[in-house]
Amino acid sequence: MRVLVCPTAFKESLSAARIATAVVAGVVRAAPDSSIRRLPVSDGGPGLLDAIAESEGGEIRMHRVRGPLGESVSARSLWVSPTEAVIETADACGLHLVPTASRDPITADTRGVGEIVAACLEMGATHIVLGLGGSATVDGGTGLGRTFGYRFLGADGAELPPGGGALADLAHIEAGIGPSSGHAITAIADVRAPLSGPAGAARHFGPQKGADASAVEVLDTGLARLGERLRDDLGCDVSHRPGAGAAGGLGAGCVAFLGADLVAGSEWVLDRVGFEEALSAADLLITGEGAWDATSGLGKITWEILRRARSIDIPALLVCGTITGPTPPGVTAVGGDGAWLEPEDVTRLVAAALG
């Protein structure tokens, strides 16, 4: 049996690489004669560097940058060539950096993401890939914009404080200076959400970042206002663009402040790592994510992987910590009933499913 193992990270728990190792152990336990190919993946959130490094190699470089609440954090860039760097924005503004009791998307910001981008440009990068996902922020990328000299002003002309909570009072954006025309920026979005509205960054994802009902209203109002100012002050009408709401609106910020090409993370990553060729050579696909829920079909990579497997009749096994949403037809799903899974739990679930 030829098995393709391509999980994504279990958010705030296990990396895609560790999950892949645990799945492989389960396959070996149940079917030791199998031919196994590892291909950990990411839709732009945590695990992107694992996926690209396993496929292409590269050099990890470390940076000290501002975290989502202003603390100093360590963040990585993966250099796949002397001029191309890949970044997980969650390294600088990720939900995993903030204890549950301290989560505050009203004040959290993305300045550290801008600091990594600026550092990579200074180190000679001419192409930067930013994976968007897993953020603790809903600031529309304004923190990143500040790194490049953009100013966000209230009606009195004073600069607004950082975070998404102040954006409802945004009266004017004063332009900064983004990367030069000789630099290419690709922002890969883990969801197709617009900037604001019922399916936007605040309403759809704010609660998981610590926003209560009143905070969601404040944040959504602010993102809608930001969209208006991006259009009127910078000539960048990105509010309704799919992916603009990724990482708390960082997708919109990347387009407006960096001139980034905003693309669907699932498609970009799967093309980059050669997924189609690997899938066509498999008899069984095994994938997984931390939680399969109602948002899994909104551009998430696990859903796309299962869709592609079904399109060519490859059987699929889905392994998750929790499963609360309907799974695609023909997919065998196993989960941990809401418990955080350890690698041995993943191995046991896979072995049992294949046994």
Side-chain angles (χ1 to χ4, degrees):
M1 179 171 61
R2 299 169 299 173
V3 183
L4 176 61
V5 175
C6 53
T8 190
F10 283 23
K11 188 180 296 185
E12 301 183 67
S13 176
L14 299 171
S15 69
R18 290 189 71 191
I19 293 295
T21 298
V23 170
V24 168
V27 175
V28 171
R29 185 179 297 179
D33 294 332
S34 297
S35 171
I36 306 169
R37 179 170 178 183
R38 289 169 48 109
L39 200 68
V41 296
S42 167
D43 47 19
L48 176 64
L49 268 59
D50 283 346
I52 302 302
E54 183 133 354
S55 174
E56 302 180 29
E59 173 196 357
I60 292 287
R61 301 181 188 177
M62 304 303 300
H63 313 268
R64 294 302 300 183
V65 300
R66 173 190 168 107
L69 298 180
E71 72 284 21
S72 176
V73 300
S74 181
R76 305 162 296 162
S77 57
L78 171 68
W79 293 71
V80 294
S81 81
T83 58
E84 183 179 13
V86 184
I87 296 166
E88 288 181 18
T89 62
D91 269 14
C93 67
L95 200 61
H96 68 286
L97 297 172
V98 187
T100 302
S102 301
R103 290 176 181 173
D104 182 14
I106 292 290
T107 60
D109 84 329
T110 54
R111 187 160 196 134
V113 177
E115 292 173 352
I116 306 176
V117 173
C120 289
L121 292 172
E122 290 175 4
M123 298 168 88
T126 58
H127 181 206
I128 296 177
V129 177
L130 296 106
L132 311 181
S135 80
T137 55
V138 190
D139 77 337
T142 51
L144 174 146
R146 285 184 166 97
T147 309
F148 288 91
Y150 289 84
R151 300 180 69 218
F152 303 91
L153 310 176
D156 60 358
E159 188 151 8
L160 298 176
L167 293 177
D169 296 324
L170 180 63
H172 179 68
I173 301 174
E174 187 176 285
I177 301 175
S180 71
S181 59
H183 297 88
I185 310 290
T186 302
I188 59 175
D190 67 334
V191 296
R192 305 295 285 163
L195 183 59
S196 61
R203 294 191 186 280
H204 217 85
F205 302 103
Q208 65 185 235
K209 303 181 186 193
D212 60 18
S214 61
V216 165
E217 293 300 322
V218 169
L219 292 167
D220 188 61
T221 299
L223 291 177
R225 182 63 175 164
L226 175 64
E228 293 171 359
R229 299 321 318 160
L230 291 175
R231 180 194 64 211
D232 295 347
D233 297 338
L234 303 183
C236 182
D237 190 359
V238 73
S239 293
H240 302 292
R241 186 168 174 176
L250 182 55
C254 287
V255 174
F257 310 130
L258 299 178
D261 182 19
L262 181 63
V263 301
S266 298
E267 296 174 12
W268 187 93
V269 172
L270 294 178
D271 288 346
R272 179 90 179 218
V273 302
F275 174 78
E276 289 290 344
E277 180 181 357
L279 180 64
S280 67
D283 301 309
L284 172 68
L285 166 78
I286 305 179
T287 188
E289 62 180 30
W292 180 274
D293 56 26
T295 70
S296 295
L298 300 176
K300 294 296 184 75
I301 198 167
T302 310
W303 182 91
E304 178 63 17
I305 284 170
L306 293 173
R307 185 195 69 78
R308 294 189 187 194
R310 186 184 179 202
S311 72
I312 58 173
D313 296 322
I314 302 294
L317 173 65
L318 172 67
V319 185
C320 299
T322 181
I323 301 171
T324 58
T327 56
V331 174
T332 300
V334 293
D337 297 325
W340 282 40
L341 299 180
E342 296 296 332
E344 176 54 34
D345 299 321
V346 174
T347 297
R348 174 178 48 78
L349 286 169
V350 171
L354 298 183

